[in-house]
Structures are given as C-alpha cells and as structure tokens.
Amino acid sequence: QGINQRIKECFPLFSELALQVVHFTGTPDSVDDLSRGYALYNIPSRVKVFEEKILMAWAAADAFIGRSGAATIAEAM
C-alpha cells in the first residue's frame, strides 16, 4: 500500500509526461481511488488488482516501479 500512496503523490508529475500507466494495486481497496486519480490528472491508465498474463505486461513496459522482494525481482528479470 505504501507504493500506491506514493504513486498518488506523483500524479502531478506524471500528468506532465507522455506516458501510459498500467498499475497493479495488489489489493482491491485501492483500485477505484487510483483510477479516479489518474482520470483527474488525465493520465491514460489501467488499474487492476492483479494480472494473470504478467509476461505480456512486462513485455509492454518501458519502466517499472515495484517492491524489491525476491519474487518481484526474479519476475522482472
């Protein structure tokens, strides 16, 4: 949840960049709040709890922000 909170603080910066965001929240609690925030700042986004086809998401990504756990790092590699 810490990352989700910090991302919301970055909305003003993100709105100045030409980017599209795919955000996996990890819990259903944050999906609506984050979706509204991205929309408020006109940031193209897709917010979901989880992605079954994560390899496709990794293939489409130019950058990644996430936890630094061993599983996350192994998956990113």
Side-chain angles (χ1 to χ4, degrees):
Q1 292 305 310
I3 292 173
N4 292 335
Q5 185 59 40
R6 294 289 178 240
I7 290 297
K8 290 193 300 187
E9 295 169 9
C10 294
F11 286 160
L13 171 65
F14 289 169
S15 69
E16 297 176 12
L17 304 173
L19 56 81
Q20 173 179 297
V21 175
V22 179
H23 188 136
F24 305 121
T25 66
T27 64
D29 307 353
S30 303
V31 172
D32 290 338
D33 186 37
L34 286 162
S35 294
R36 283 191 300 272
Y38 285 118
L40 180 66
Y41 284 91
N42 297 313
I43 301 166
S45 64
R46 175 75 165 122
V47 182
K48 299 171 65 175
V49 174
F50 181 78
E51 176 55 58
E52 290 283 335
K53 298 178 181 178
I54 194 64
L55 293 179
M56 292 177 72
W58 285 117
D62 290 324
F64 160 75
I65 298 171
R67 298 182 332 186
S68 61
T72 303
I73 293 170
E75 194 174 71
M77 291 172 38

